[in-house]
């Protein structure tokens, strides 16, 4: 029989449809080194997924602020004097010349002129996409955390069975 790598066994353990019982049964067959590696890899993946979730939360919040700003801007009359944000903390005085068209930052330094309603629609579509991605990542993070927890429990049980090393 060919030797399986820890990643192969970890993938099998994580992909079994039978739930936690199958994963634990697979993990109990692993060597201590493979279990430790699976636990460490799963913990690392959980941390990376958590960072991604935080980035999605931040991007969603920024888009919601932008959408609200567009709504506020659409209510202001043309020629209205206002403060224009250049950065999060730097504003300069300006005058609203065209309340019907906005420039939308679509990434990597590209801007597209859109109507106010198209700009709000763009923000809403991006928010919905990010929320969908967030929900999917939550599910993946939950499964990965479950694998890490199960590997940790099996590892602790195996170490207790081995007894104290003198």
């Amino acid at each position: 029989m060919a030797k399986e790598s820890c990643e192969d066994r970890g993938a099998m353990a994580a992909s079994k449809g039978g739930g936690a019982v199958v994963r634990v049964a697979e993990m109990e067959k692993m060597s201590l080194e493979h279990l430790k590696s699976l636990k460490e890899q799963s913990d690392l993946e959980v941390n990376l997924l958590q960072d991604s979730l935080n980035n999605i939360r931040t991007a969603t919040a920024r888009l919601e602020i932008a959408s609200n700003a567009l709504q506020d801007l659409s209510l202001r009359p043309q020629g209205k004097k206002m403060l224009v944000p250049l950065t999060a903390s730097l504003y300069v005085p300006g005058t609203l010349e065209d309340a019907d068209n906005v420039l939308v930052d679509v990434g990597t330094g590209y801007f597209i002129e859109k109507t106010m309603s198209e700009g709000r629609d763009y923000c809403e579509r991006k928010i919905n996409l990010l929320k969908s991605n967030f929900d999917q990542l939550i599910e993946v993070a939950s499964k990965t955390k479950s694998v890490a927890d199960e590997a940790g429990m099996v590892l602790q049980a195996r170490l207790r069975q081995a007894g104290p090393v003198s």
Side-chain angles (χ1 to χ4, degrees):
M1 182 171 142
K3 278 189 135 180
E4 295 173 320
S5 72
C6 178
E7 290 79 18
D8 294 339
R9 289 186 134 179
M12 281 191 324
S15 67
K16 293 287 184 183
V21 174
V22 174
R23 287 195 294 242
V24 170
E26 285 291 325
M27 289 179 195
E28 287 174 349
K29 296 177 186 175
M30 292 181 183
S31 69
L32 282 176
E33 295 79 27
H34 285 155
L35 272 173
K36 287 178 186 176
S37 179
L38 176 62
K39 171 83 170 114
E40 290 171 0
Q41 181 181 359
S42 297
D43 286 341
L44 180 63
E45 287 176 21
V46 167
N47 289 337
L48 292 173
L49 289 168
Q50 190 63 44
D51 289 344
S52 294
L53 289 169
N54 289 336
N55 290 338
I56 289 175
R57 269 191 217 107
T58 301
T60 302
R62 286 183 180 164
L63 281 167
E64 287 172 344
I65 290 169
S67 183
N68 291 336
L70 287 175
Q71 177 64 29
D72 182 50
L73 197 59
S74 70
L75 301 175
R76 295 178 185 250
Q78 286 186 324
K80 171 101 171 149
K81 293 201 181 289
M82 57 189 296
L83 291 175
V84 179
L86 295 181
T87 67
S89 60
L90 177 63
Y91 293 79
V92 295
T95 305
L96 182 59
E97 291 291 326
D98 183 7
D100 297 326
N101 295 304
V102 293
L103 289 177
V104 177
D105 183 353
V106 293
T108 62
Y110 288 96
F111 292 84
I112 297 175
E113 186 173 329
K114 293 189 175 279
T115 65
M116 189 66 70
S117 63
E118 289 173 339
R120 284 195 306 264
D121 181 57
Y122 175 83
C123 287
E124 291 305 314
R125 283 184 289 124
K126 293 292 275 187
I127 289 169
N128 290 336
L129 176 65
L130 287 172
K131 285 182 178 179
S132 172
N133 289 346
F134 185 85
D135 293 341
Q136 291 172 359
L137 272 180
I138 286 282
E139 188 175 320
V140 170
S142 175
K143 288 178 181 177
T144 305
K145 176 89 170 95
S146 177
V147 169
D149 292 345
E150 291 165 5
M153 289 186 318
V154 171
L155 184 60
Q156 286 179 355
R158 296 264 301 273
L159 289 174
R160 277 194 299 268
Q161 285 177 350
V165 177
S166 301

